[in-house]
Amino acid sequence: MSAKIGGGFGREASQQILAGGSAGLIEICLMHPLDVVKTRFQIQRGSTDPNNYKNLGDSFLKIYHTERLFGFYKGILPPILVETPKRAVKFFSFEQYKKLLGYVSLSPGVAFAVAGLGSGLTEAIVVNPFEVVKVGLQANRNIFTQQPSTLGYARHIIKTKGLGLQGLNKGLTATLGRHGIFNMVYFGFYFNVKNIIPVNKDTTLEFWRKFGIGLLSGITASITNIPFDVAKSRIQGPQPVPGEIKYRTCFKTIATIYQEEGFFALYKGLLPKIMRLGPGGAIMLLVYEYAYSWLQENW
């Protein structure tokens, strides 16, 4: 009996991991250029920055003109390498936290949000070292062929800064805030709204119902968590003065940005972030749901 239960859990876990990994891989391959643009906006420090981008169109033109097409895919290897386990952790841990919360007297709506928070914190611990490498590569404005390799840059960080909170795990608190808040809103919004809006019998309309809810989930979560995202980019990216660390901790970085650059500086990169994680969030949820359903039926 216990072997049968264990086998069932193992199969279910494998299905969730495969479906989540597939969702993440497809999303990153489609949406990574917008992540590069978002990071560039977040690390620039006002109009005095010599590499300042005036707007979204200006950033695309400048990156293409100076770094060519591959400039939009800088730093893509770390998220590709981590995307399968990252999204697998995201969706698998959400399902497990949701199951555990079934033993607690919480309303379903609150349980979805709390399970999302737990999955985000778990995901952040897994992904943070890869984020440090990715942000450093994305901040590099040299042409693609002149930038360091992913492995070479990771080795440089480990050699010079180590594995701790000043090295490969720099900005962990900001990453915890970014992922925890995002997943809390993302999963909480999606499953609560999906349960309110009736299922459509027409398969095409049902697809667009889910896509629309997923799109709004990604947009709402992006707006909610972006101050932590900006802080993370500042901490993990190049400092304003070489050799002098200005941005160290999450909340102090948020306070510094607010004091020096104003409230709206905490929302830098919001448009490319929404353009990526709005449709990207919908893509992930739909690929996960359809892949998970297919695996349950065929495995």
Side-chain angles (χ1 to χ4, degrees):
M1 181 72 176
S2 60
K4 187 175 181 180
I5 293 171
F9 174 77
R11 184 181 295 107
E12 180 185 68
S14 299
Q15 291 166 349
Q16 291 166 358
I17 288 167
L18 285 170
S22 301
L25 185 61
I26 290 170
E27 189 272 339
I28 194 67
C29 289
L30 291 174
M31 311 304 289
H32 187 76
L34 286 163
D35 193 57
V36 173
V37 172
K38 180 209 72 173
T39 300
R40 294 288 179 86
F41 270 106
Q42 290 176 345
I43 61 175
Q44 69 182 20
R45 287 165 283 278
S47 57
T48 57
D49 190 329
N51 297 306
N52 183 61
Y53 298 121
K54 296 180 180 68
N55 51 52
L56 189 63
D58 182 54
S59 67
F60 274 100
L61 288 171
K62 282 182 178 176
I63 291 172
Y64 181 76
H65 180 71
T66 58
E67 304 167 53
R68 312 312 296 172
L69 181 63
F70 286 115
F72 293 106
Y73 289 89
K74 283 184 173 179
I76 194 172
L77 188 56
I80 282 180
L81 290 174
V82 78
E83 206 61 31
T84 300
K86 172 185 171 182
R87 300 308 185 193
V89 167
K90 181 189 191 81
F91 286 99
F92 172 72
S93 61
F94 172 73
E95 298 286 358
Q96 300 312 307
Y97 285 124
K98 188 173 66 173
K99 192 180 292 184
L100 286 172
L101 289 167
Y103 298 102
V104 183
S105 57
L106 290 175
S107 68
V110 174
F112 287 132
V114 174
L117 175 63
S119 76
L121 297 176
T122 306
E123 180 187 23
I125 294 169
V126 173
V127 78
N128 193 65
F130 295 89
E131 286 290 316
V132 172
V133 176
K134 183 197 77 171
V135 169
L137 291 172
Q138 288 181 341
N140 187 312
R141 294 175 185 260
N142 293 329
I143 62 172
F144 190 81
T145 55
Q146 292 179 355
Q147 75 167 20
S149 68
T150 299
L151 185 58
Y153 187 63
R155 284 175 175 169
H156 171 74
I157 294 171
I158 295 169
K159 185 177 179 180
T160 57
K161 302 292 184 179
L163 297 169
L165 296 178
Q166 297 302 316
L168 209 57
N169 273 292
K170 183 166 61 172
L172 178 60
T173 305
T175 306
L176 288 167
R178 184 181 83 153
H179 287 263
I181 291 172
F182 184 91
N183 283 7
M184 179 178 70
V185 176
Y186 180 63
F187 284 118
F189 186 98
Y190 179 75
F191 285 102
N192 279 293
V193 174
K194 196 175 81 161
N195 289 341
I196 293 169
I197 299 175
V199 174
N200 201 299
K201 293 180 181 179
D202 184 286
T203 54
T204 303
L205 292 175
E206 175 61 10
F207 171 87
W208 288 112
R209 179 186 80 99
K210 290 180 178 178
F211 186 89
I213 300 169
L215 179 72
L216 289 174
S217 301
I219 290 172
T220 306
S222 297
I223 294 169
T224 307
N225 86 328
I226 195 168
F228 289 92
D229 199 2
V230 173
K232 173 188 156 302
S233 293
R234 294 290 180 94
I235 294 167
Q236 294 178 344
Q239 300 293 310
V241 179
E244 180 183 318
I245 299 177
K246 180 177 182 178
Y247 304 113
R248 287 183 181 273
T249 61
C250 176
F251 292 104
K252 189 175 179 181
T253 296
I254 290 174
T256 300
I257 295 168
Y258 174 75
Q259 290 165 3
E260 294 183 355
E261 303 172 47
F263 176 77
F264 290 107
L266 293 171
Y267 288 82
K268 281 185 175 180
L270 180 60
L271 182 57
K273 183 180 175 76
I274 285 175
M275 287 175 66
R276 182 202 168 178
L277 289 175
I283 289 166
M284 274 194 296
L285 284 165
L286 285 172
V287 172
Y288 175 76
E289 287 195 353
Y290 286 116
Y292 187 33
S293 176
W294 185 87
L295 287 166
Q296 285 179 310
E297 291 176 7
N298 294 278
W299 182 13

